[in-house]
Each structure stands twice: as structure tokens, then as C-alpha cells.
Amino acid sequence: GWYGAAGPGCGLLLSFILLLLLLFLVLLLGSSRPLALRRGRGQVGYVPTPGLSPRQAADRARRARRAGAPPPPYPNGWYRLMDSEQLPRGATLNIALLGEQLAAFRTLDGQAYVVDAYCPHLGANLAAGGRVVGSCIECPFHGWQFRGEDGKCISIPYADKVPDFARVRTWPSCEVNGMLLVWYHCEGVGPTWAVPEQREITSKEWVFRGQTEHLVDAHIQEIPENGADMAHLAFLHGPAILGGSDLRYTRSKLWNFMKHVWKAEWQPEPEPNEHCSRMLLQHTLTVFGLRISLMDLTVSARQVGPGLVFLIFEHAFLGHGIILQTVTPLEPLLQSVVHKIYYQKNIPAIIPKFILKAECIQFERDVTIWNNKLYLPKPLLVREDSSIQKHRRWYAQFYSEKSTRLPVQKESLDW
């Protein structure tokens, strides 16, 4: 085409652009330290409003937005509570999620437990000044001690006898892939599946290279449903990452010479892994219409339950790695989304950090959509959207008849 007709001058321009891009990446990601990005609520995902700060603009948009008729806010499944390293031996930590207040603590022998935060005696917060005693957490108010394993109270300093019914609710938990997770089920049913261990992380064959965290003002189901929405890939994620995440400028003609090309396929897994689904994603990059094979990337994404995704990256000569995506509901329409990347240790850190940064830009484009959209229980779909309805039927397994429903919406999304 026109590239060949333009001759060496255009090739020189292309080489110069790629050189500038490489220099930019070295300056941005050249440090050997893991990449750390945290976006607070309202920092991204909202269109700026003249005369208002970003936080004020986000607050106004949330108040004016209609939620629609989303499903129950908290699907049944495993959710990330924190990274394991955030809970050292002998420590207690208060966490708010799933509409609950929880107390996590780690015994001196390394075992982590999660219980309801409030003492059943007089309501003190066990994690606000409480301490670890043996395998128990001790209430800071009167010294009642509750066993982490089953929540039973085993000691009341001033009482001759501990009532048999004195206990605090315990939450099933596990530590896998460097994270502490809790099991939620609206009817109190215990775990029905286990969180898979990623062998390369446990064996340290793949090393930690960075993490991003976002707060998303949306229902949790909106986020994994993206994986089944094939049509949005070309339109929302086709423009070059150099165009950034502000949707007003991503389609700027300035970056028109560069395009991302995506091919994707989504399918649920059969029994006994019906709680899992898979998406195969193939990515190529074109510059001035020419395919840049260096950027060819195959991603195998496995959704495990409602809030965990394992994204395995495979590249011809830049190696292999994984992004762990966790989605944890803090409130009915507020999700904490964390992406952690692990990569082959013999690959320079700049490679996985670039992948994570590029993923972050693309993810923030989705955040703008989620933060401002209406949930439609009966969307108007065309034949090419069939996988969206298929995904909704698959995801419905994580709700129960007794799942808590959202309160009737009045005038805003302030919950």
C-alpha cells in the first residue's frame, strides 16, 4: 500500500517513533522496583466538569446516575481480603467488605483467621486494639478471648464460667498465591470449590513485578461480563494505548497510525469446574497498517468464581507470566479491583511492568464505562452479542434465592 510507495522516508519515521516509544518506556518503567499504582475513588473513570474538582465531579455523577435493576450485590464465592504480607504474625486488622466488618488476625505460628469484627458481649471492635493470644483474638474492652478456628469464647477474665453459646462468627478463609481470601455465602453454606494454586508463583519461578488497584463504582457482575462482550474490544480497546484512558481523546487522529487488533473467544467450563469460564484472547499491534510481530500476545484468561481471574500471558520470546485480577465488593456498587503481575525472573522487569501499565490504561477505559452506565436486566442485543447472554446465565449460579437484594433506589447511588 501507501507505506511501500512512500519508500525509506516512512520507514525512517516509523523507526523514530518506535525509538521514542522505547525511550519513554525505559524512563517510565526502568526501575527494578515493582510497579505500584493505586487509583482512589473518583481519580479516574469520570469526565471532568468545569469548575469542579475531580472528586466533586465524580460525586455529582454518582448522585445523578441511575443504577437500573442490577442482580443481588454479593455473589457467593471466594474474595480477596488482602495480601498475606499485610497481616504479619501477631497482628490484627479490621476490614470492611461485602457489607460486613471483619477482623483478621494471624497467630504467632503463622495461621490466619477471619471473624466478625464486633464482640457479641458489648459490641467492641475486636481489631481496634484487640490482641492475639495463642490461637485467639482478645477483645480490647473486657478481655474476652475468641478462638479463631471456630469462634468459641474460651476465656472471660472476670467470670467463673464461659457460656457455651458465647462465640463470634467465623469466616472460612484460605491463603493461596500470596493472598488471604474469605468465602462468602448468603445462606452460610461452606466452600463448594477451592481457589487454585498457581504453581509458578508458589515455586517462585515467576516473581512479583507490580500491582494496580482501582475502586470501581459498579455492580460486580459488570466487570467479568466484559470478557464475553467481544464487540467492545475493537471499539473501546482498539485505539492505541498512547491515547491514554480518557475516552474523549482515545480516538484522537494523533495516534491513528497505531491500532490494537483483538480476537477473543469465551466459553464456560464443564463439570466439575462449572464455576469457571475461559476466554482466549489474541492481540496484535499495527503501526501504519503494518503488523508489529514483537507485540503479538496470547492471553488465556480463566475466571474462577465471581471475583477471581487468572490471566496467563504467552509471548514468542518475551516469556510467560500471569496477572491475577481480584474483584471484591466493598459496598453494593463499589468494587476494589486489584491486578498483580508475576513474570519469569529471567525476563527484564521492564517487560512485565510495561504489560501491567498497558493493561491498566485499557482497564481504565472500561472503568469510565462502568462508573457511568445503567444496568439493563434485559438489554437490546443482536445476534453477535449472544455470548453476553450466555455469560449472564453462567454467572447466575453465584446467586441464591436468599441473596440480599439492593434497596429500592431513590435519587442517587449513595448507599
Side-chain angles (χ1 to χ4, degrees):
W2 68 266
Y3 177 84
C10 191
L12 186 62
L13 175 62
L14 175 57
S15 300
F16 180 68
I17 290 172
L18 292 176
L19 183 61
L20 286 179
L21 178 59
L22 180 60
L23 180 61
F24 169 76
L25 292 176
V26 170
L27 292 174
L28 181 66
L29 306 172
S31 169
S32 60
R33 290 183 299 178
L35 181 65
L37 292 173
R38 188 182 189 280
R39 307 298 196 196
R41 196 173 188 184
Q43 282 187 295
V44 296
Y46 287 100
V47 177
T49 302
L52 298 180
S53 69
R55 184 60 183 265
Q56 290 171 329
D59 288 343
R60 174 182 284 187
R62 279 196 297 268
R63 288 194 298 269
R65 175 181 158 210
R66 294 175 56 202
Y74 307 128
N76 303 319
W78 287 101
Y79 294 102
R80 173 187 176 273
L81 200 62
M82 67 184 80
D83 293 336
S84 292
E85 64 181 19
Q86 293 178 275
L87 190 69
R89 293 171 189 250
T92 65
L93 202 59
N94 183 209
I95 309 102
L97 77 164
L98 297 160
E100 304 277 356
Q101 290 284 337
L102 307 182
F105 68 98
R106 190 182 299 280
T107 62
L108 294 180
D109 63 5
Q111 181 64 47
Y113 295 106
V114 182
V115 300
D116 274 356
Y118 299 121
C119 178
H121 175 218
L122 282 174
N125 190 316
L126 298 172
R131 66 188 183 110
V132 177
V133 179
S135 62
C136 301
I137 186 170
E138 182 183 81
C139 177
F141 200 6
H142 296 88
W144 290 35
Q145 295 178 0
F146 298 92
R147 195 161 52 201
E149 182 180 357
D150 56 10
K152 181 172 175 52
C153 181
I154 64 169
S155 174
I156 301 175
Y158 55 88
D160 294 330
K161 183 181 179 182
V162 177
D164 290 337
F165 54 83
R167 65 179 63 237
V168 68
R169 180 172 61 152
T170 59
W171 290 68
S173 62
C174 68
E175 291 192 84
V176 185
N177 303 321
M179 301 180 293
L180 174 61
L181 303 103
V182 293
W183 170 264
Y184 168 85
H185 196 286
C186 66
E187 299 179 56
V189 176
T192 55
W193 45 271
V195 178
E197 179 182 82
Q198 190 66 37
R199 178 189 60 80
E200 293 88 349
I201 295 177
T202 305
S203 67
K204 301 188 185 305
E205 182 180 333
W206 293 350
V207 295
F208 177 67
R209 292 301 191 191
Q211 173 174 314
T212 65
E213 181 177 356
H214 294 80
L215 295 178
V216 181
D217 291 309
H219 186 278
I220 182 175
Q221 184 175 316
E222 300 273 22
I223 297 171
E225 189 170 290
N226 246 28
D229 181 5
M230 309 305 174
H232 94 287
L233 289 171
F235 193 82
L236 190 65
H237 301 296
I241 60 168
L242 295 177
S245 58
D246 189 325
L247 299 188
R248 297 171 299 167
Y249 309 116
T250 54
R251 308 187 76 82
S252 168
K253 293 182 179 179
L254 178 64
W255 306 112
N256 236 6
F257 65 89
M258 185 181 293
K259 297 287 185 184
H260 299 279
V261 181
W262 307 90
K263 291 184 179 180
E265 180 182 341
W266 178 89
Q267 288 291 337
E269 292 189 20
E271 294 184 4
N273 295 321
E274 62 271 21
H275 61 279
C276 300
S277 67
R278 286 187 182 271
M279 181 178 72
L280 183 64
L281 190 65
Q282 293 180 313
H283 167 266
T284 59
L285 180 72
T286 64
V287 177
F288 294 116
L290 289 179
R291 176 178 171 181
I292 307 300
S293 58
L294 178 66
M295 299 301 292
D296 285 0
L297 196 64
T298 300
V299 182
S300 175
R302 190 186 195 208
Q303 174 93 27
V304 181
L308 303 172
V309 182
F310 295 67
L311 296 104
I312 304 271
F313 291 84
E314 298 179 8
H315 194 279
F317 58 91
L318 294 180
H320 299 71
I322 187 171
I323 288 181
L324 299 179
Q325 182 197 70
T326 60
V327 185
T328 302
L330 305 182
E331 299 173 10
L333 295 178
L334 179 62
Q335 315 301 320
S336 170
V337 184
V338 173
H339 293 89
K340 299 168 67 72
I341 191 166
Y342 293 82
Y343 219 80
Q344 285 180 242
K345 62 175 65 176
N346 61 329
I347 300 295
I350 190 174
I351 301 301
K353 288 165 72 175
F354 167 70
I355 292 174
L356 183 61
K357 179 63 178 175
E359 194 277 341
C360 179
I361 291 172
Q362 296 284 17
F363 182 77
E364 288 177 0
R365 295 180 184 179
D366 289 308
V367 172
T368 302
I369 301 297
W370 295 324
N371 281 1
N372 296 279
K373 77 184 294 296
L374 172 78
Y375 182 87
L376 296 175
K378 296 181 179 180
L380 177 61
L381 302 175
V382 295
R383 182 169 56 89
E384 289 78 6
D385 295 322
S386 61
S387 57
I388 296 176
Q389 204 70 303
K390 192 175 181 180
H391 185 277
R392 290 192 174 190
R393 288 194 295 269
W394 171 79
Y395 201 89
Q397 68 181 292
F398 304 119
Y399 303 118
S400 303
E401 287 186 11
K402 295 184 179 179
S403 291
T404 304
R405 294 281 170 176
L406 284 173
V408 177
Q409 184 181 351
K410 299 298 183 182
E411 298 177 354
S412 73
L413 293 190
D414 294 333
W415 302 95

